[in-house]
Amino acid sequence: MSKGKKKTIKFKLLITLLIFALLGGGAFAFYMYTTPQITLEGSKEVTVTMKDGYREPGASASFSFHDISDHIKISSEVNDKKVGTYKVTYSVEYLEKTATATRTVNVIDKEPPEITLIDGDHITVQTASSFEDPGVTAVDDSDGDVTDKVESKGLVDLFNKGDYEIDYKVTDSYGNEASAVRTVTVKGDPAREVKGVIYLTFDDGPSTTVTPKILKTLEKYDVPATFFVIDYGSDPEKISIMKRALKDGCTIGLHGYSHDYSKIYTSTDDFMNNITTLHEKLKTDLDYDPFILRFPGGSSNTVSKDYCKGIMGQLTKLVQKENYYYSDWNVDSTDASGNNVPVKKLIESVEKNCDKDGYNIILMHDSDAKGTTAKALPKIIEWAQEEGYVFKAMTPGSPTVHHRVNN
Ligand code: ZN
């Protein structure tokens, strides 16, 4: 072998070694710097409802170009029956190398509770009978039994036939609200169910001139009455007059903060705001919670047509849904026919129209211009007591009169 050939072989060997070294080094470097990769299907953070539940979307993994998805181990702490934030961990091990990825799962509650009406959604009762709401049960997927949290609204006036709605509402801890409605139909005619009772009612007061005279008479004959008051301008004298009425066993109803038809019959909201304003005021000033109202002009008024068509039909239903009884009258003293109507005329109207076989809700007024009403009152009471009538103040559940609605 020549010297030159030997050199060539040595050189080739060197090159070969170098190539192997490079390849080996490359492979080593490749191993050193390649890690398994995990790719989550779907988002890194997902939100699911308790109702829909959580379904694992999975993940894939690779090592360089190798699909090593079947090496993935999933460990999940998700409890989709309970609101919370959970982690799902994906881990993979390949050629003694590991990788992990996590997914955040928010489980939320979007389901409202379920309300069940005991005895169904429609109950029929006779007028002047008794009605006790059989109640409801309510269950929630998060909170369990939420029957205690159910609020109900709406009253049943057993002295007036018609359909009454009771609304039930309940909200779970996550703000999901459920509601249900029950209709109670009151049937029949109650006119003869309460006999020989008179409910004296005075509208438009209190007045510092007339109301004290009326209270004096009521006290003298030991007779209670009901006052449907309007705004009293925080007058301390008027407040003490009303306090005295309550102390004497009278009751107070709402007539209206304002009595101005053009302000109160423009919309149902305007009317309710007017009532609520007065209600809150009486609560503050008298520590008294009124339960009954009388519509200015009565529920049969037609003047409200000028401001809002059909409003009385809506209001008569609405106020009862808001837990107010309302009452018109079935005996008119006629003291609204003018200022200071003659005493004789007032007495005659009452005597003529009272009915011993039924209950009598007498309309009177105690504003400043009704001096003759205060004068007629002793005679009216004496006559009624001689006739054997009994006087009562209106209370929750006592008889009411509803006129026919004309607007
Ligand atoms: Zn009035």
Side-chain angles (χ1 to χ4, degrees), residues 146-167:
V146 287
T147 305
D148 288 354
K149 285 195 190 168
V150 177
E151 284 174 13
S152 73
K153 227 177 175 191
L155 56 79
V156 177
D157 188 331
L158 289 160
F159 283 89
N160 287 280
K161 60 182 175 188
D163 288 337
Y164 297 84
E165 284 185 348
I166 303 176
D167 289 328

